Amino acid sequence: SGPIVIRAGRVDVSERALKLTGLRVALADDEAVVAGTVGLDRLRPTRLDLTVKGYLSPRALEIYLSDHITRASGEPSSLDLAITGDVAQPKIRGRVLLRPLQLGLRAAGNEVTLRSGQISFHGGNVSLGAIRGTIDEGSFTVSGSLQLEGLEIAGLNLRFQGENIPYRSSGTYEVE
């Protein structure tokens, strides 16, 4: 774990905007470079026009998805994103390339390993490209799309194909 560290870069502050230039943001040993502007109204963020390129630490997932996962470890995912628009309803464009990543799921109690795949963002649409992984002893592939309203899921169309994935529930029944 560890703190989020700004290793280098420049932030210019005015009454109407923050201008970020080459902001190198690191968590653990993984770093992303953020650049662009954040529009302000009375020093509150209102609009975004940012690019984010670099790597996303598994630790970031642990922090920001703590309601859903108990732990995250593995290799950092590669980021190349543009985030624009209203702060409450940002539009995200670009992609995330997944590398081997282990996740402990809070609700199911299972260990999930994501081996590879790509997540592409096109404004309010998110495409999942052949994300491959394992759950316990079984393997799976998931692909499809999600529709976002702001940062909330408004719709989804997913195809999940799995093999040898066990499911257990409080001793009531077991499916394998």
Side-chain angles (χ1 to χ4, degrees):
S1 73
I4 295 173
V5 175
I6 298 174
R7 292 183 174 161
R10 180 177 169 155
V11 179
D12 294 310
V13 181
S14 73
E15 185 177 310
R16 302 189 69 158
L18 296 176
K19 182 178 180 190
L20 311 177
T21 306
L23 206 62
R24 293 177 43 212
V25 180
L27 179 60
D29 292 328
D30 306 316
E31 181 178 280
V33 177
V34 181
T37 59
V38 177
L40 300 174
D41 181 17
R42 297 183 183 146
L43 298 178
R44 291 186 181 184
T46 57
R47 299 208 43 86
L48 303 170
D49 186 7
L50 301 171
T51 59
V52 181
K53 295 182 181 190
Y55 296 94
L56 177 67
S57 170
R59 177 70 179 125
L61 297 176
E62 212 171 86
I63 292 169
Y64 295 109
L65 297 175
S66 62
D67 289 347
H68 305 288
I69 63 174
T70 57
R71 63 175 200 79
S73 61
E75 296 183 37
S77 297
S78 173
L79 301 173
D80 186 358
L81 302 172
I83 305 166
T84 60
D86 187 272
V87 168
Q89 299 277 329
K91 299 290 184 215
I92 303 171
R93 298 190 187 290
R95 68 181 182 178
V96 176
L97 297 176
L98 298 175
R99 295 166 61 189
L101 174 68
Q102 295 78 41
L103 302 171
L105 300 181
R106 190 171 299 285
N110 293 50
E111 171 92 5
V112 173
T113 299
L114 301 178
R115 300 242 179 256
S116 64
Q118 178 172 300
I119 303 170
S120 299
F121 296 86
H122 311 281
N125 296 313
V126 179
S127 299
L128 305 178
I131 296 174
R132 292 176 177 24
T134 59
I135 299 175
D136 294 333
E137 305 85 34
S139 63
F140 69 87
T141 301
V142 65
S143 59
S145 62
L146 298 102
Q147 292 73 47
L148 299 178
E149 288 183 11
L151 297 176
E152 299 291 322
I153 297 173
L156 57 97
N157 180 7
L158 298 177
R159 179 169 188 241
F160 182 91
Q161 184 174 0
E163 187 174 302
N164 298 322
I165 298 174
Y167 178 78
R168 298 171 190 88
S169 178
S170 305
T172 306
Y173 56 91
E174 187 171 308
V175 178
E176 291 198 35

